[in-house]
Amino acid sequence: MDGMGRRTLLAGAASLALGGCAATETTLRAVPVATASQAYPDTPKAAFDRLMTGNRRWITGALQHPDRDPTRRELLATKQKPYGVVLSCIDSRVPPELVFDTGLGDLFVMRTGGQAVGPVVTGSVEYGPMTGGTPLIVVLGHQRCGAVEAAYQSLKDGKPLPGNLQAIVEALRPAYEQTTREGSADPIETMTKHQVTLTADTLRGNGDLRPLVSESKLAVVAAYYSLDTGQVEVLNGAPVS
């Protein structure tokens, strides 16, 4: 092949390569951020509906995996505005971002054994609503909670748990006492739901959050997650407007 032929062949190859790169770049740029077209849910009901719609996708497997790409990461590098706060259990099977099919920057998440609360946890829950106007708090318990079961057994037998685990037991004592007063064929599940509702009631009525709730700027929802189905059941506090 002479010099002219080689130059022609190389030029053609370079053109094809550049064309392929350009096509690939165009394709990548055409992929939108998953929730770019969705308005920020700035009311309690809008935020609640967004989460529950995501949970329905989780149940059916029709996941969108929104807000999980480099563009979203770059957008949030200097500022965040989550639309929800979730206080859930440490259980590895109940990650809120997956259960509600959300992504980066969508939720403030606190996780403690059995949704146990104390001043630091309560302050962390308050952070979004009090400093950034986050309109929704969800307290999320779940089926077959090991922390609740351990606390129930400890209190029933009068045998404290070792180390700081006993702090979780004491935090769950009111739910245990309510469960034993009422009686139940399934005390662990009953105690879990009591723990969720008591925690939500406490947050809803505390001196800092109560004014926001009264003005309908904030909703505090008690909810329960089924490990069997993936469904989030609302126990109380769902916003209506």
Side-chain angles (χ1 to χ4, degrees):
M1 184 180 293
D2 60 19
M4 180 63 73
R6 283 196 298 273
R7 287 194 294 272
T8 302
L9 180 61
L10 290 171
S15 177
L16 287 172
L18 290 172
C21 289
T24 301
E25 185 176 358
T26 301
T27 301
L28 289 173
R29 288 180 176 176
V31 177
V33 176
T35 56
S37 62
Q38 294 183 301
Y40 177 82
D42 57 0
T43 67
K45 188 174 190 308
F48 174 75
D49 289 347
R50 177 78 62 86
L51 283 188
M52 296 306 287
T53 298
N55 180 241
R56 286 193 289 273
R57 294 196 300 269
W58 171 253
I59 294 167
T60 62
L63 300 173
Q64 292 181 358
H65 306 295
D67 300 335
R68 302 180 191 180
D69 54 55
T71 301
R72 178 69 171 180
R73 184 193 67 226
E74 293 166 7
L75 180 66
L76 294 173
T78 59
K79 186 178 180 180
Q80 64 169 334
K81 192 173 175 60
Y83 62 82
V85 177
V86 179
L87 171 59
S88 67
C89 184
I90 61 173
D91 195 290
S92 64
R93 300 165 293 178
V94 194
E97 294 89 345
L98 298 185
V99 166
F100 293 111
D101 193 26
T102 63
L104 191 66
D106 293 335
L107 300 176
F108 288 114
V109 175
M110 276 65 64
R111 301 181 69 175
T112 67
Q115 304 81 237
V117 294
V120 172
V121 175
T122 300
S124 298
V125 171
E126 292 173 343
Y127 178 81
M130 293 181 63
T131 67
T134 305
L136 180 69
I137 296 170
V138 177
V139 182
L140 184 64
H142 68 92
Q143 185 181 27
R144 304 187 194 101
C145 180
V148 171
E149 182 176 4
Y152 176 88
Q153 204 61 49
S154 171
L155 292 166
K156 181 174 181 289
D157 296 342
K159 296 180 179 179
L161 296 183
N164 288 305
L165 292 176
Q166 187 59 25
I168 298 176
V169 174
E170 293 303 324
L172 273 58
R173 184 182 289 274
Y176 170 81
E177 292 175 347
Q178 184 172 347
T179 300
T180 55
R181 283 196 304 270
E182 296 176 356
S184 172
D186 193 343
I188 305 304
E189 300 307 310
T190 300
M191 182 174 164
T192 299
K193 291 182 178 181
H194 283 327
Q195 171 63 12
V196 170
T197 55
L198 287 171
T199 300
D201 289 346
T202 299
L203 291 171
R204 197 180 294 123
N206 85 19
D208 296 310
L209 296 178
R210 184 172 60 245
L212 297 174
V213 174
S214 298
E215 296 168 12
S216 299
K217 294 179 180 178
L218 173 69
V220 182
V221 178
Y224 176 86
Y225 177 74
S226 168
L227 295 175
D228 292 335
T229 67
Q231 182 173 4
V232 173
E233 170 193 357
V234 175
L235 302 179
N236 67 36
V240 295
S241 61

